Amino acid sequence: MSRALLSYRIGAIVRHVVSTARERARAALTAEILESARGQLATVGAAALSLRAVARDLGLASSALYRYFASRDELLTALIIEGYDAIGAAAEAADVPTAQPRTRWHAICAAVRAWALAHPHEYALLYGSPVPGYAAPQDTVAAAGRVGTALGRVLGDAARAGVLPPAEHRRTSLVTPAAAEALGGEHPDLDDAVRARALLTWSSVYGLISFELFGHFAGVVTDLDAFFTEQVGELADLLGL
Amino acid sequence: MSRALLSYRIGAIVRHVVSTARERARAALTAEILESARGQLATVGAAALSLRAVARDLGLASSALYRYFASRDELLTALIIEGYDAIGAAAEAADVPTAQPRTRWHAICAAVRAWALAHPHEYALLYGSPVPGYAAPQDTVAAAGRVGTALGRVLGDAARAGVLPPAEHRRTSLVTPAAAEALGGEHPDLDDAVRARALLTWSSVYGLISFELFGHFAGVVTDLDAFFTEQVGELADLLGL
DNA sequence: CGCTCGACGAGAGCGGTGCTCTCGTTCTGG
DNA sequence: CCAGAACGAGAGCACCGCTCTCGTCGAGCG
């Protein structure tokens, strides 16, 4: 079932450069399906996304869609990957590598929040409750790490610039080697405690955005914009940026 | 449509103490419906919760359920209120008012996480993406504040005990008066900045739990238990407990 | 005490869903 | 040129939430 998705992602590009008419038609229709699904996701949300509605939108029989996506879950998976890519790109676009680490941290967090507010349903699909019995395929985890990696770059640069407080070395590590690599890589000022703190701050930003988006701050916080930037500043303090 | 729910919640209790047989039967069946729905929620999740399955489970026609809950959303609302009550009760049960504020903070956070891990689908229903076009009725917000209020009590007690750092007073408030009341009430050491920080830490705990539960820490964090307690400690530092 | 009206549960049915299977067509690589 | 794969349409299955009707039964009122 991941076959079809894979062929969508790399598809005719890898196979051979001279694509046949059929392959081009397939790629085009796949893109159209995704576009329609993306529109439906943005308007009615993931739970109400209907294969039949997509088919109607494109003037196709519903059964025809199954030539392109083996199931509704697979279509959702493609949308999830697109979403992670989009929010990751937003984070990267907001990052100015020459700026101060703290400025960069603020910029990335603001960009992620802005993307979430602009695409609430997509954000919910990425970071909200996983859908029914849906288990995120391995394909998604690579794309998912893009925002974290952007923040990790800031952390690594800050460590190299020497703005981080000295690390408190300890024996057992709480962070996976792979994750440590994404979170700044090798550096004496970046030990496990600092990296774990980076994960905390990142998940805290996610908590702030989710609470705001899912309505848990309604009637609690007066100025959501000011509140967010202030708390992101607090997290920067905690991180040592 | 909120009539039926209301009558379920207060129902015969308020009307008159001497309940008729019909009222008792109604209350009993309502409880059975909720119990079956709770079971289904725990096993298949909210998105796959089916009124017809509940009816089958109870040996009823599906249409009969509509005498008790006007819609699937209303049944979900009742489950959400139950969930908020349960996680609030877990938080309150874990709190030992005579202990140190920091100890209480740790205990409450651990209890909330434990409840979330034990009831993942319920937690997702409460704090994950809102379901389809579902807008949380006002009934839920009261129950939702219970965990926050428990944490607010710790904050207030800490302020009265004088363990909090002095507050930095400012003009414009980011926290609603109602929320400020729940977050420790009146106290000179508890100004808006401290209360906002309390909201930050609470949403951070939510972020930590959600990332863990929704799989965003898979392959990133090695020891989730140890990681959580350590980061909760970091948040206590940030809060000044 | 009897009657009336409301609550109740069953059943059929509507329009919707994801998904499967079959069948004729159309393109493509050998 | 032609066999076989890819394709789209259509019918159909089992399920969903929800509505409507209809017969029944109980509870409160006169």
Side-chain angles (χ1 to χ4, degrees):
Chain A
M1 56 181 183
S2 82
R3 281 265 310 280
L5 177 61
L6 208 72
S7 74
Y8 138 67
R9 290 187 64 198
I10 46 180
I13 305 155
V14 166
R15 291 274 295 275
H16 36 85
V17 182
V18 181
S19 58
T20 77
R22 188 165 252 171
E23 276 171 335
R24 269 181 282 120
R26 180 177 186 85
L29 225 181
T30 308
E32 278 185 69
I33 293 171
L34 277 173
E35 185 184 329
S36 172
R38 205 181 311 124
Q40 205 177 135
L41 171 61
T43 52
V44 299
L49 191 155
S50 146
L51 273 182
R52 291 176 113 108
V54 171
R56 273 194 301 271
D57 185 34
L58 301 180
L60 284 176
S62 67
S63 56
L65 292 193
Y66 287 83
R67 304 276 183 199
Y68 299 86
F69 295 92
S71 69
R72 183 176 172 277
D73 272 9
E74 197 168 279
L75 179 57
L76 274 181
T77 301
L79 291 175
I80 288 175
I81 292 175
E82 279 196 353
Y84 278 128
D85 255 14
I87 199 171
E92 288 167 10
D95 190 19
V96 181
T98 57
Q100 295 271 359
R102 194 188 173 96
T103 312
R104 295 169 67 188
W105 160 260
H106 262 98
I108 294 177
C109 289
V112 169
R113 173 170 175 261
W115 190 92
L117 292 181
H119 309 83
H121 286 120
E122 285 91 331
Y123 179 86
L125 178 62
L126 300 183
Y127 293 104
S129 358
V131 296
Y134 178 80
Q138 212 57 21
D139 309 15
T140 65
V141 299
R146 218 165 137 184
V147 175
T149 304
L151 293 173
R153 262 193 300 274
V154 177
L155 195 71
D157 291 351
R160 270 180 287 280
V163 297
L164 284 184
E168 328 112 35
H169 293 285
R170 62 184 170 195
R171 277 190 303 276
T172 62
S173 172
L174 292 176
V175 177
T176 297
E181 185 51 42
L183 289 171
E186 269 313 317
H187 193 279
D189 277 0
L190 269 176
D191 77 340
D192 199 63
V194 178
R195 283 190 244 265
R197 209 139 47 209
L199 289 179
L200 166 65
T201 54
W202 161 227
S203 74
S204 297
V205 170
Y206 160 83
L208 283 172
I209 296 175
S210 298
F211 262 28
E212 173 178 354
L213 214 54
F214 299 161
H216 294 285
F217 280 153
V220 173
V221 174
T222 58
D223 185 339
L224 287 166
D225 287 352
F227 179 78
F228 182 79
T229 55
E230 173 172 307
Q231 302 315 317
V232 164
E234 297 275 348
L235 291 174
D237 291 341
L238 176 62
L239 201 46
L241 291 182
Chain B
M1 55 180 183
S2 82
R3 281 266 310 281
L5 177 61
L6 207 73
S7 75
Y8 137 67
R9 289 188 63 197
I10 46 180
I13 305 156
V14 166
R15 292 273 294 275
H16 37 86
V17 182
V18 182
S19 57
T20 76
R22 187 165 253 172
E23 276 173 335
R24 269 180 283 118
R26 181 177 183 84
L29 224 178
T30 308
E32 276 186 69
I33 293 171
L34 279 173
E35 185 185 329
S36 173
R38 207 181 309 124
Q40 204 177 137
L41 171 61
T43 52
V44 299
L49 191 155
S50 147
L51 274 182
R52 292 177 111 109
V54 171
R56 272 194 302 270
D57 185 34
L58 301 181
L60 285 175
S62 66
S63 56
L65 292 194
Y66 287 83
R67 304 275 185 200
Y68 299 86
F69 295 93
S71 69
R72 183 177 171 275
D73 271 9
E74 197 169 280
L75 178 56
L76 274 182
T77 301
L79 291 175
I80 288 176
I81 293 176
E82 280 196 354
Y84 277 128
D85 254 14
I87 198 170
E92 288 167 10
D95 190 19
V96 181
T98 57
Q100 295 271 358
R102 194 188 172 96
T103 311
R104 295 170 68 188
W105 161 258
H106 262 98
I108 294 177
C109 289
V112 169
R113 173 169 176 262
W115 190 93
L117 293 181
H119 310 84
H121 286 119
E122 284 92 331
Y123 179 86
L125 178 62
L126 300 182
Y127 293 104
S129 357
V131 297
Y134 178 81
Q138 212 56 22
D139 311 14
T140 66
V141 300
R146 219 165 137 185
V147 175
T149 304
L151 293 174
R153 262 193 300 273
V154 177
L155 195 70
D157 291 351
R160 271 179 286 280
V163 297
L164 284 183
E168 328 111 35
H169 293 286
R170 59 185 173 196
R171 276 190 303 278
T172 62
S173 172
L174 291 176
V175 177
T176 297
E181 185 51 42
L183 287 172
E186 268 314 316
H187 191 281
D189 277 1
L190 269 177
D191 78 340
D192 199 63
V194 178
R195 283 189 243 264
R197 209 139 48 208
L199 289 179
L200 166 65
T201 54
W202 161 228
S203 75
S204 298
V205 169
Y206 160 82
L208 283 172
I209 296 176
S210 298
F211 263 28
E212 173 178 353
L213 214 53
F214 299 162
H216 294 285
F217 280 153
V220 173
V221 174
T222 57
D223 185 340
L224 289 166
D225 287 352
F227 178 78
F228 182 79
T229 55
E230 175 172 307
Q231 303 314 318
V232 164
E234 297 276 349
L235 292 173
D237 290 343
L238 175 63
L239 201 44
L241 291 181

